[in-house]
Amino acid sequence: MEHLSLSDIQRIMQSRCVTARTIVGLEGGEFILHPQAEEIMAWFHEHHPNYTLLSNCLAPRRVIDAVRLHQPRHLYVSLDGGRDTYQRMRGRDGYDRVIEVVEALKNEVSVSLMFCLSPWNKFEDMAYVIDIAKHYGIDIRIGIYGTMAFFDTTSELLTASDFVKQIPQSIHDTQENYDFVALYDEWRNGHLRLRCQSIMSCLVVHSNGDVPLCQNLDVVLGNIHEQSLDTIFNGTSACQAQYHYSRHCNACWINFHRKYDIILVRNFERLLPKWLIEKFYGQYQWTADPKQTYRKHLKSIQ
């Protein structure tokens, strides 16, 4: 298997495009199984404490010990349903291990449950995980399954005709989740179009060193083993790709990118009329009606 080494990561962190305010997420696969996981987390704890960890918690003791020792700012824990759903989706019974980690760390670090709605679970599973988060007094982040090029996955889209009506009412008690899930229905029907601005300030470095334009497209800007991250991310060719795709791509509904865009444009609409926003931002629409605003649309479906 390929891994970014500690020295690779240290070199990345010396880049000018990385600042003390940059949030670094240690993910995978399962980062805690990285052969240098402890060394890397120790380095971040000392040199860049503004980092987070994502885990499936199948090695609960290792996660608990590492978090307590190296204190990431946030722990994101994957949970896509109850025990039976977990077994069906992941092929093993890891539900109790997730709960073990949550119970051990919920009062020591900020914890979020990460729920992904997919063709293999249901809205009932979403409601179940929301209830778990409420029970433990922790945050929940909801995503929707996408076919990311890096993971070589394919699936049928979620196509329920009454998609919005199935969203559990309890989602309204969570932060930054309802609009993302509800607007997916407009996007999958080809009615919603937003520019992708997140690619200007967010990036991923894959285990082989590749730096993709985004999590969805198989467009690689460069490789950190061949060029510096500053050259890859801020070079002429990268800027040209970012400029093009930010204006013309509407091809995914991945929460890493699209929540950014939703929050950006809805905040514009709190201050300015839609016609004026389009003068500097460009044309966009939430629904089949290009004049519909975020607030009016969300009010109409709640």
Side-chain angles (χ1 to χ4, degrees), residues 241-257:
Q242 291 162 350
Y243 180 88
H244 172 78
Y245 284 100
S246 70
R247 285 157 176 77
H248 301 293
C249 186
N250 192 49
C252 82
W253 202 248
I254 296 173
N255 57 346
F256 181 74
H257 296 293

Side-chain angles (χ1 to χ4, degrees), residues 27 42 50 101 120 131 134 178 195 207 265 295:
E27 304 182 7
N50 194 19
V101 171
W120 306 285
D131 286 343
K134 286 183 178 179
Y178 176 72
R195 286 172 54 175
S207 55
V265 181
R295 179 177 294 182

